[in-house]
Amino acid sequence: MFESLKNLLKHFTGSQESTSATQGNSTQEAKTTSSTADAGNVQYITLGQFNLGLGSIGPDNRKDIDQNVLNQMYRAIASGLFNVPVNNSVPEICVDGRTNKSGYRKSAPCAAGGTLSIVYGSDLGSNSLAADINEVQLTTQTINKLQEKGRQTGVHGDDHSDCGCGACSKAPTIYQHITERINDLASLTNQLGINITESEKESIVQQAKNRLSQADFFAENRASVVQAAQDTGADYEELVGQHNELGIAINTRTGTTVDRSAIRSKYGPQYDMFVVDAWTFGNAAKDINSTGNEADEQRIAKAITLQNVATASILGHGSLPIIPIA
Ligand SMILES: [Zn+2]
Ligand SMILES: [Zn+2]
Protein backbone atom coordinates (compact mmCIF):
# COMPACT_ATOMS: atom_id res chain seq x y z
CA MET A 1 0.00 0.00 0.00
CA PHE A 2 2.62 2.54 0.99
CA GLU A 3 4.70 1.58 -2.00
CA SER A 4 1.81 2.82 -4.10
CA LEU A 5 1.75 6.07 -2.10
CA LYS A 6 5.43 6.42 -2.76
CA ASN A 7 5.06 5.81 -6.48
CA LEU A 8 2.20 8.23 -6.72
CA LEU A 9 4.10 10.93 -4.90
CA LYS A 10 7.05 10.33 -7.21
CA HIS A 11 4.65 10.92 -10.06
CA PHE A 12 3.58 14.23 -8.49
CA THR A 13 7.13 15.45 -8.20
CA GLY A 14 8.28 13.77 -11.41
CA SER A 15 8.25 16.94 -13.47
CA GLN A 16 10.93 18.51 -11.29
CA GLU A 17 13.11 15.42 -11.52
CA SER A 18 12.84 15.19 -15.29
CA THR A 19 13.58 18.90 -15.59
CA SER A 20 16.92 18.68 -13.87
CA ALA A 21 17.77 15.41 -15.63
CA THR A 22 17.16 16.70 -19.15
CA GLN A 23 17.70 20.41 -18.85
CA GLY A 24 18.09 22.34 -22.09
CA ASN A 25 18.14 19.51 -24.63
CA SER A 26 15.09 20.21 -26.73
CA THR A 27 12.24 22.66 -27.04
CA GLN A 28 9.94 20.25 -25.27
CA GLU A 29 12.26 20.09 -22.31
CA ALA A 30 12.83 23.79 -22.38
CA LYS A 31 9.12 24.18 -21.99
CA THR A 32 9.11 21.88 -18.97
CA THR A 33 11.95 23.91 -17.50
CA SER A 34 10.16 27.21 -17.84
CA SER A 35 6.92 25.87 -16.43
CA THR A 36 8.88 24.72 -13.40
CA ALA A 37 10.74 28.01 -13.22
CA ASP A 38 7.61 30.11 -12.88
CA ALA A 39 6.32 27.50 -10.51
CA GLY A 40 6.00 30.11 -7.84
CA ASN A 41 2.54 28.69 -8.42
CA VAL A 42 3.10 24.97 -8.12
CA GLN A 43 -0.35 23.80 -7.18
CA TYR A 44 -0.69 21.53 -4.21
CA ILE A 45 -3.92 19.86 -3.24
CA THR A 46 -5.64 21.47 -0.25
CA LEU A 47 -8.02 20.17 2.41
CA GLY A 48 -10.68 22.50 1.03
CA GLN A 49 -10.69 20.72 -2.33
CA PHE A 50 -12.14 17.73 -0.52
CA ASN A 51 -14.63 19.80 1.50
CA LEU A 52 -12.36 19.23 4.48
CA GLY A 53 -10.69 21.68 6.84
CA LEU A 54 -13.14 22.71 9.55
CA GLY A 55 -10.48 24.31 11.74
CA SER A 56 -8.63 27.61 11.58
CA ILE A 57 -4.97 26.69 11.09
CA GLY A 58 -3.81 27.54 7.56
CA PRO A 59 -2.24 30.13 5.27
CA ASP A 60 -5.49 32.00 4.48
CA ASN A 61 -5.79 32.99 8.13
CA ARG A 62 -2.32 34.50 8.30
CA LYS A 63 -1.13 38.06 7.81
CA ASP A 64 2.50 37.49 8.77
CA ILE A 65 3.53 35.42 5.75
CA ASP A 66 5.27 36.37 2.51
CA GLN A 67 3.74 34.45 -0.39
CA ASN A 68 7.05 34.07 -2.24
CA VAL A 69 8.82 32.80 0.85
CA LEU A 70 5.93 30.42 1.41
CA ASN A 71 6.19 28.98 -2.12
CA GLN A 72 9.96 28.63 -1.74
CA MET A 73 9.41 26.82 1.51
CA TYR A 74 6.88 24.39 0.02
CA ARG A 75 9.24 23.55 -2.83
CA ALA A 76 12.22 23.06 -0.55
CA ILE A 77 10.24 20.80 1.77
CA ALA A 78 8.87 18.79 -1.17
CA SER A 79 12.42 18.27 -2.43
CA GLY A 80 13.42 16.71 0.89
CA LEU A 81 15.81 19.51 1.85
CA PHE A 82 14.77 19.35 5.51
CA ASN A 83 14.61 15.57 5.89
CA VAL A 84 16.72 14.21 8.73
CA PRO A 85 17.28 10.63 9.94
CA VAL A 86 15.32 8.97 12.74
CA ASN A 87 15.82 5.73 14.66
CA ASN A 88 12.23 4.66 15.34
CA SER A 89 10.16 2.86 12.69
CA VAL A 90 6.71 3.78 14.08
CA PRO A 91 5.06 7.12 14.97
CA GLU A 92 6.47 8.57 18.18
CA ILE A 93 5.86 12.34 18.31
CA CYS A 94 2.96 14.53 17.16
CA VAL A 95 2.53 16.13 13.73
CA ASP A 96 2.30 19.45 15.63
CA GLY A 97 4.55 22.04 13.99
CA ARG A 98 5.53 23.74 17.24
CA THR A 99 8.70 23.22 19.27
CA ASN A 100 9.63 23.25 22.95
CA LYS A 101 10.75 26.45 24.61
CA SER A 102 14.29 26.01 23.28
CA GLY A 103 12.99 25.84 19.68
CA TYR A 104 13.69 22.13 19.53
CA ARG A 105 11.85 18.92 18.61
CA LYS A 106 13.09 15.38 18.90
CA SER A 107 13.99 13.78 15.57
CA ALA A 108 11.38 11.03 15.62
CA PRO A 109 8.59 9.84 13.32
CA CYS A 110 5.42 11.95 13.43
CA ALA A 111 1.71 11.18 13.36
CA ALA A 112 -1.34 12.96 14.81
CA GLY A 113 -1.01 12.56 18.58
CA GLY A 114 2.37 10.80 18.44
CA THR A 115 1.88 7.31 19.86
CA LEU A 116 -1.83 8.12 20.32
CA SER A 117 -2.16 7.86 16.53
CA ILE A 118 -1.41 4.15 16.92
CA VAL A 119 -3.88 3.92 19.82
CA TYR A 120 -6.75 5.49 17.84
CA GLY A 121 -5.78 4.00 14.47
CA SER A 122 -5.55 0.45 15.81
CA ASP A 123 -8.86 0.98 17.62
CA LEU A 124 -10.62 2.25 14.49
CA GLY A 125 -9.05 -0.41 12.32
CA SER A 126 -9.83 -3.26 14.65
CA ASN A 127 -12.63 -5.67 13.80
CA SER A 128 -13.26 -6.75 17.37
CA LEU A 129 -15.63 -4.81 19.55
CA ALA A 130 -13.83 -5.11 22.92
CA ALA A 131 -16.61 -3.05 24.50
CA ASP A 132 -15.22 -3.73 27.94
CA ILE A 133 -12.21 -1.47 27.46
CA ASN A 134 -11.99 2.32 27.63
CA GLU A 135 -9.69 4.84 26.00
CA VAL A 136 -7.27 5.12 28.91
CA GLN A 137 -6.95 1.33 29.20
CA LEU A 138 -6.50 1.05 25.46
CA THR A 139 -3.73 3.67 25.62
CA THR A 140 -1.90 1.77 28.35
CA GLN A 141 -2.33 -1.54 26.54
CA THR A 142 -1.08 -0.18 23.21
CA ILE A 143 1.98 1.47 24.73
CA ASN A 144 2.87 -1.70 26.63
CA LYS A 145 2.64 -3.66 23.41
CA LEU A 146 4.86 -1.19 21.52
CA GLN A 147 7.40 -1.22 24.34
CA GLU A 148 7.52 -5.02 24.22
CA LYS A 149 8.58 -4.60 20.59
CA GLY A 150 11.29 -2.19 21.70
CA ARG A 151 9.62 0.95 20.30
CA GLN A 152 10.02 4.40 21.82
CA THR A 153 6.65 6.06 22.54
CA GLY A 154 5.69 9.69 23.04
CA VAL A 155 2.94 12.24 23.64
CA HIS A 156 2.82 16.00 24.25
CA GLY A 157 1.04 18.92 25.80
CA ASP A 158 1.65 22.64 25.55
CA ASP A 159 2.29 25.60 27.81
CA HIS A 160 -1.22 27.07 27.84
CA SER A 161 -3.87 24.32 27.56
CA ASP A 162 -5.25 21.63 29.79
CA CYS A 163 -4.76 19.11 26.97
CA GLY A 164 -2.49 20.79 24.41
CA CYS A 165 -2.58 17.98 21.84
CA GLY A 166 -5.45 18.49 19.40
CA ALA A 167 -5.45 14.83 18.31
CA CYS A 168 -6.13 13.91 21.93
CA SER A 169 -8.29 16.80 23.13
CA LYS A 170 -10.54 16.45 20.07
CA ALA A 171 -10.45 12.65 19.69
CA PRO A 172 -14.24 12.21 20.12
CA THR A 173 -14.84 14.93 17.49
CA ILE A 174 -12.34 13.21 15.19
CA TYR A 175 -14.17 9.88 15.54
CA GLN A 176 -17.43 11.72 14.82
CA HIS A 177 -15.86 13.38 11.78
CA ILE A 178 -14.86 9.97 10.43
CA THR A 179 -18.45 8.72 10.74
CA GLU A 180 -19.83 11.80 8.98
CA ARG A 181 -17.22 12.47 6.31
CA ILE A 182 -15.70 9.11 5.49
CA ASN A 183 -16.12 9.60 1.73
CA ASP A 184 -14.41 13.01 1.66
CA LEU A 185 -11.60 11.71 3.86
CA ALA A 186 -11.19 8.62 1.68
CA SER A 187 -11.13 10.76 -1.49
CA LEU A 188 -8.16 12.59 -0.05
CA THR A 189 -6.28 9.41 0.89
CA ASN A 190 -7.13 8.04 -2.54
CA GLN A 191 -5.51 11.09 -4.10
CA LEU A 192 -2.39 10.18 -2.11
CA GLY A 193 -2.46 6.64 -3.50
CA ILE A 194 -4.17 4.91 -0.58
CA ASN A 195 -7.39 3.28 -1.67
CA ILE A 196 -9.82 2.49 1.13
CA THR A 197 -12.36 -0.11 0.02
CA GLU A 198 -16.08 0.12 0.73
CA SER A 199 -15.91 -2.72 3.24
CA GLU A 200 -12.93 -1.12 5.00
CA LYS A 201 -14.84 2.18 5.17
CA GLU A 202 -17.86 0.41 6.63
CA SER A 203 -15.81 -1.41 9.22
CA ILE A 204 -13.92 1.74 10.33
CA VAL A 205 -17.09 3.87 10.48
CA GLN A 206 -18.87 1.17 12.47
CA GLN A 207 -16.00 0.96 14.93
CA ALA A 208 -16.06 4.77 15.38
CA LYS A 209 -19.82 4.67 15.97
CA ASN A 210 -19.44 1.87 18.49
CA ARG A 211 -16.95 3.91 20.51
CA LEU A 212 -19.05 7.08 20.32
CA SER A 213 -22.05 5.19 21.69
CA GLN A 214 -20.07 3.18 24.27
CA ALA A 215 -20.75 4.77 27.66
CA ASP A 216 -17.57 6.28 29.10
CA PHE A 217 -15.22 5.06 26.37
CA PHE A 218 -13.72 8.54 25.95
CA ALA A 219 -12.21 10.05 29.09
CA GLU A 220 -13.98 13.21 30.16
CA ASN A 221 -10.69 14.67 31.34
CA ARG A 222 -8.77 14.68 28.06
CA ALA A 223 -5.42 15.35 29.74
CA SER A 224 -5.82 12.07 31.63
CA VAL A 225 -5.15 10.18 28.37
CA VAL A 226 -1.81 11.93 27.89
CA GLN A 227 -1.10 11.34 31.58
CA ALA A 228 -1.87 7.62 31.25
CA ALA A 229 0.56 7.43 28.34
CA GLN A 230 3.28 9.10 30.41
CA ASP A 231 2.56 6.81 33.37
CA THR A 232 3.12 3.85 31.04
CA GLY A 233 6.49 5.20 29.98
CA ALA A 234 5.78 7.44 27.00
CA ASP A 235 8.12 10.39 26.66
CA TYR A 236 6.50 13.84 27.09
CA GLU A 237 7.21 17.00 25.12
CA GLU A 238 5.91 20.40 26.21
CA LEU A 239 5.39 22.51 23.09
CA VAL A 240 5.02 26.27 23.33
CA GLY A 241 3.13 29.09 21.66
CA GLN A 242 0.42 29.22 19.04
CA HIS A 243 -0.15 27.07 15.95
CA ASN A 244 1.61 28.53 12.90
CA GLU A 245 1.37 25.56 10.55
CA LEU A 246 1.16 26.50 6.86
CA GLY A 247 0.87 23.07 5.30
CA ILE A 248 0.94 19.33 5.84
CA ALA A 249 4.15 17.59 4.79
CA ILE A 250 3.45 13.97 3.86
CA ASN A 251 6.78 12.21 4.11
CA THR A 252 7.30 8.80 2.52
CA ARG A 253 11.10 8.71 2.77
CA THR A 254 11.80 5.70 4.95
CA GLY A 255 13.95 6.38 8.00
CA THR A 256 13.45 10.16 8.01
CA THR A 257 11.35 13.01 9.32
CA VAL A 258 11.30 16.77 8.71
CA ASP A 259 13.43 19.12 10.82
CA ARG A 260 11.14 21.88 12.08
CA SER A 261 13.93 23.98 13.61
CA ALA A 262 15.76 24.04 10.27
CA ILE A 263 12.61 25.32 8.52
CA ARG A 264 12.29 28.13 11.04
CA SER A 265 15.89 29.15 10.83
CA LYS A 266 15.71 29.34 7.04
CA TYR A 267 12.34 31.13 6.61
CA GLY A 268 11.48 32.70 9.96
CA PRO A 269 10.03 31.68 13.31
CA GLN A 270 6.43 31.95 12.07
CA TYR A 271 6.93 29.30 9.35
CA ASP A 272 5.82 25.91 10.64
CA MET A 273 4.48 22.71 9.08
CA PHE A 274 2.50 19.72 10.20
CA VAL A 275 4.66 16.65 9.53
CA VAL A 276 3.13 13.25 8.76
CA ASP A 277 5.66 10.44 8.43
CA ALA A 278 3.36 8.20 6.42
CA TRP A 279 6.10 5.63 5.79
CA THR A 280 5.70 4.48 9.41
CA PHE A 281 1.98 3.62 9.29
CA GLY A 282 2.39 0.15 7.80
CA ASN A 283 5.08 -0.64 10.38
CA ALA A 284 2.82 0.46 13.23
CA ALA A 285 -0.04 -1.67 11.93
CA LYS A 286 2.27 -4.67 11.74
CA ASP A 287 3.51 -4.10 15.31
CA ILE A 288 0.05 -3.68 16.80
CA ASN A 289 -2.11 -6.14 14.86
CA SER A 290 -2.79 -9.12 17.08
CA THR A 291 -4.42 -11.45 14.53
CA GLY A 292 -1.49 -11.97 12.17
CA ASN A 293 -4.04 -11.55 9.37
CA GLU A 294 -2.85 -9.43 6.44
CA ALA A 295 -6.29 -7.88 5.79
CA ASP A 296 -6.50 -6.77 9.43
CA GLU A 297 -3.06 -5.24 9.20
CA GLN A 298 -3.98 -3.32 6.03
CA ARG A 299 -7.18 -2.02 7.57
CA ILE A 300 -5.30 -0.78 10.65
CA ALA A 301 -2.73 1.01 8.48
CA LYS A 302 -5.56 2.69 6.59
CA ALA A 303 -7.34 3.59 9.83
CA ILE A 304 -4.15 5.26 11.08
CA THR A 305 -4.06 7.19 7.80
CA LEU A 306 -7.71 8.23 8.25
CA GLN A 307 -7.12 9.30 11.86
CA ASN A 308 -4.30 11.56 10.61
CA VAL A 309 -6.36 13.05 7.79
CA ALA A 310 -9.40 13.53 10.05
CA THR A 311 -7.28 15.26 12.70
CA ALA A 312 -5.88 17.60 10.04
CA SER A 313 -9.43 18.29 8.87
CA ILE A 314 -10.69 19.13 12.37
CA LEU A 315 -7.74 21.37 13.30
CA GLY A 316 -6.77 22.70 9.89
CA HIS A 317 -8.33 25.27 7.56
CA GLY A 318 -9.39 24.41 4.00
CA SER A 319 -6.46 26.46 2.70
CA LEU A 320 -3.89 24.02 4.17
CA PRO A 321 -1.97 22.46 1.29
CA ILE A 322 -0.58 18.94 1.30
CA ILE A 323 3.10 18.85 0.40
CA PRO A 324 4.31 15.40 -0.62
CA ILE A 325 7.92 14.41 0.02
CA ALA A 326 8.58 11.37 -2.13
ZN1 LIG B 1 -0.59 16.80 19.18
ZN1 LIG C 1 -3.24 26.29 21.85
Side-chain angles (χ1 to χ4, degrees), residues 200 289 293-300:
E200 287 168 339
N289 177 33
N293 177 317
E294 173 75 16
D296 291 337
E297 192 181 307
Q298 288 278 318
R299 196 177 49 252
I300 292 169

Side-chain angles (χ1 to χ4, degrees), residues 94-96 112-113 156 164-167:
C94 190
V95 296
D96 200 310
H156 79 94
C165 179

Side-chain angles (χ1 to χ4, degrees), residues 98 158 160-161 241 243:
R98 297 174 293 173
D158 69 17
H160 63 268
S161 323
H243 279 286

Side-chain angles (χ1 to χ4, degrees), residues 33-53:
T33 305
S34 70
S35 78
T36 305
D38 67 7
N41 299 321
V42 169
Q43 289 297 313
Y44 298 103
I45 60 169
T46 61
L47 292 177
Q49 284 168 24
F50 300 87
N51 303 312
L52 300 172

Side-chain angles (χ1 to χ4, degrees), residues 255-293:
T256 71
T257 190
V258 175
D259 183 346
R260 292 157 173 87
S261 313
I263 294 176
R264 285 188 183 180
S265 40
K266 180 144 185 170
Y267 303 105
Q270 75 276 39
Y271 289 83
D272 283 343
M273 290 288 286
F274 288 114
V275 177
V276 180
D277 289 312
W279 63 269
T280 59
F281 294 175
N283 300 335
K286 198 181 185 99
D287 273 357
I288 215 68
N289 177 33
S290 49
T291 68
N293 177 317

